Amino acid sequence: MRARYDHVNVKPAIRPDPEAVTVRAPAKVNLQLSVGPARRDGYHALVTVYHAVSLFDEVTVLPSDQMAVAVTGEDAAQVPGDKSNLAWRAASALARAAGLRGAAVRIEISKRIPVAAGLAGGSADAAATLVACNELWRTGLSAGELGELAGGLGSDVPFALVGGTAVGRGRGEQLTPALATGTYHWALAFGQAGLSTAQVYATCDRLRAARTVAGDQAKPATEPELSHPLMTALRSGDPARVGPLLANDLQPAALSLQPDLRRALAAGREHGALGAIVSGSGPTCAFLAKDAAHARDIAVALTGAGVCRAVARATGPVTGAAFVPGGQRA
Ligand code: ATP
């Protein structure tokens, strides 16, 4: 299946500052996350429905004689400032692909997407950096070529480039657009502490193995399949139809690692959320609301219940990595 990058914008309409390029990229929630057995390469076969929401990191790249990453925002201390940063790796991968030996850049990340939260914030930064450096260095890679590079950087990076609502297969990197209509309103509850994606997958495997030993075949790790009822509901644009179909195979593992998340999910349901789900590997909980006012009510209720570190409201779907008009520099 071919990835589709037709609408990724690789050129800004105007570039007011030749010395800096700013690109923002969105967080994602997974409307469906079906996890198959672990593959030989250690990854799990997935079928997922990604949905980009209006919570963005902004990445500014500037010419420099050496590579550097600077991160600002509440979670900045949890983000590496060296070559292990996914944004740094993205810039290096682009320089290699374009044959730019020794190319360097200063990367400034304004971080609003919580870290290790199941929202793919690092992937968003990598996607934004690919688009920003492609413009700064005038390397001229096509959207499809950037998509290929993105898939090599991480499973969620190609989706952060395209955004919208899309089906991911393989490790999640093989994308096809999903026919979704309407705007969906979300309340997001951020956890007190992050969760390691690797640990959540390992826990998922362990829980499944334990169930198999106990003879419980309720949820064996079979090849994952796309939920056609969910796809039909997304085409209808009706959140009341979508809500009950949200599904995440990693949720039991995330709940076993952070049992308090049950309280957050219950609080959202009590306040009429149409769907309540752990996003990706967690611990962020995503609540689908009837409309904008309902999303605000759920967010207020979650805050009042004291079940999370912070809440945010967001709408989806939004587009993937996009130039910020005026290319801000604070
Ligand atoms: P994953 O993408 O693995 O599912 P996630 O979405 O839950 O993870 P991220 O915020 O992407 O979480 O961060 C995962 C880890 O990646 C962090 O703990 C951090 O150490 C590392 N990391 C590397 N680069 C970045 C970056 N630019 N932003 C955030 N985290 C980064």
Side-chain angles (χ1 to χ4, degrees):
M1 192 149 317
R2 270 170 50 78
R4 302 279 295 275
Y5 297 97
D6 315 348
H7 60 283
V8 174
N9 186 0
V10 289
K11 290 294 295 174
I14 43 163
R15 180 162 155 198
D17 182 351
E19 292 297 307
V21 178
T22 299
V23 173
R24 72 178 194 181
K28 59 81 187 163
V29 295
N30 301 81
L31 307 181
Q32 178 193 350
L33 180 50
S34 294
V35 179
R39 308 189 311 197
R40 283 214 182 124
D41 62 4
Y43 288 101
H44 291 71
L46 300 183
V47 171
T48 188
V49 180
Y50 291 111
H51 181 74
V53 294
S54 59
L55 174 65
F56 301 97
D57 278 358
E58 253 180 41
V59 174
T60 299
V61 296
L62 304 119
S64 174
D65 48 14
Q66 57 181 356
M67 287 293 296
V69 177
V71 186
T72 54
E74 207 178 315
D75 283 357
Q78 297 171 51
V79 180
D82 59 13
K83 65 180 183 206
S84 69
N85 192 299
L86 217 45
W88 181 315
R89 289 178 44 212
S92 301
L94 176 62
R96 261 196 315 278
L100 295 178
R101 282 171 63 87
V105 71
R106 175 177 167 80
I107 303 167
E108 297 179 348
I109 303 173
S110 169
K111 204 140 189 62
R112 290 193 51 225
I113 304 174
V115 175
L119 297 168
S123 302
D125 299 346
T129 303
L130 285 177
V131 173
C133 287
N134 193 39
E135 171 61 19
L136 184 76
W137 292 333
R138 304 204 182 279
T139 31
L141 266 65
S142 67
E145 289 167 326
L146 292 182
E148 289 295 314
L149 276 182
L153 289 164
S155 308
D156 296 339
V157 184
F159 177 70
L161 272 182
V162 299
T165 305
V167 177
R169 291 190 171 81
R171 294 181 279 114
E173 84 289 10
Q174 299 165 19
L175 296 177
T176 43
L179 261 177
T181 59
T183 297
Y184 297 85
H185 297 269
W186 298 90
L188 303 174
F190 303 138
Q192 302 288 356
L195 271 176
S196 141
T197 303
Q199 198 188 355
V200 173
Y201 273 97
T203 304
C204 175
D205 289 341
R206 197 168 41 73
L207 291 177
R208 284 175 165 176
R211 269 203 302 264
T212 307
V213 169
D216 175 0
Q217 293 301 314
K219 203 89 195 269
T222 50
E223 284 310 311
E225 282 177 20
L226 183 63
S227 162
H228 291 289
L230 175 63
M231 301 313 283
T232 306
L234 285 169
R235 276 199 296 277
S236 78
D238 180 359
R241 289 181 62 185
V242 171
L245 297 170
L246 301 177
N248 180 2
D249 281 355
L250 292 180
Q251 185 158 311
L255 294 180
S256 107
L257 290 164
Q258 290 196 6
D260 278 356
L261 295 179
R262 289 177 202 280
R263 290 178 52 225
L265 291 173
R269 286 194 198 102
E270 267 167 39
H271 286 85
L274 302 171
I277 197 165
V278 170
S279 175
S281 54
T284 302
C285 293
F287 301 93
L288 182 58
K290 293 173 197 149
D291 52 30
H294 186 212
R296 191 189 54 229
D297 292 347
I298 296 172
V300 168
L302 292 167
T303 306
V307 289
C308 52
R309 168 168 66 106
V311 294
R313 284 178 291 142
T315 59
V318 298
T319 57
F323 293 98
V324 175
Q328 63 99 65
R329 280 216 72 197

